[in-house]
Amino acid sequence: MLEKSGREFVIPEGKSILEVLRDAGLDVDFSCEQGICGACQVQVVEGEPDHRDMFLSDEEKAEGGMMICCSGSKTPRLTLAL
Ligand code: FES
């Protein structure tokens, strides 16, 4: 779920959050799509991400940062500050 717009998306297996948001026409920042550049970072408002990037430090993850090009969710629902 996106906090600002209230829009909700289901992320199919094999697709990234970034891909689903871009497919829906959202203008989201990205570059490498491999979890290494930091361009796609968003803030998690609610839920627990499944971090799969190589960019964020443990401290940044603890502060709610998430890379949507490669990371998923451990909880059924994730709310992002978008
Ligand atoms: Fe580079 Fe996500 S696009 S880390």
Side-chain angles (χ1 to χ4, degrees):
M1 177 174 169
L2 305 183
E3 184 188 35
K4 293 178 185 161
S5 65
R7 292 179 71 181
E8 297 191 20
F9 299 91
V10 174
I11 312 300
E13 195 158 335
K15 278 210 159 194
S16 68
I17 296 172
L18 175 66
E19 286 173 320
V20 170
L21 297 185
R22 288 180 59 209
D23 288 350
L26 271 76
D27 184 20
V28 283
D29 291 335
F30 70 98
S31 181
C32 72
E33 296 189 71
Q34 295 174 37
I36 53 177
C37 76
C40 69
Q41 182 172 346
V42 300
Q43 198 67 21
V44 177
V45 178
E46 198 174 353
E48 187 181 353
D50 181 12
H51 294 288
R52 299 175 200 145
D53 65 276
M54 316 271 279
F55 182 80
L56 293 172
S57 67
D58 288 344
E59 188 178 349
E60 289 168 321
K61 290 173 187 171
E63 290 171 353
M66 172 183 190
M67 316 311 297
I68 57 171
C69 69
C70 58
S71 296
S73 178
K74 289 182 178 172
T75 47
R77 173 182 286 240
L78 206 56
T79 302
L80 304 176
L82 286 174

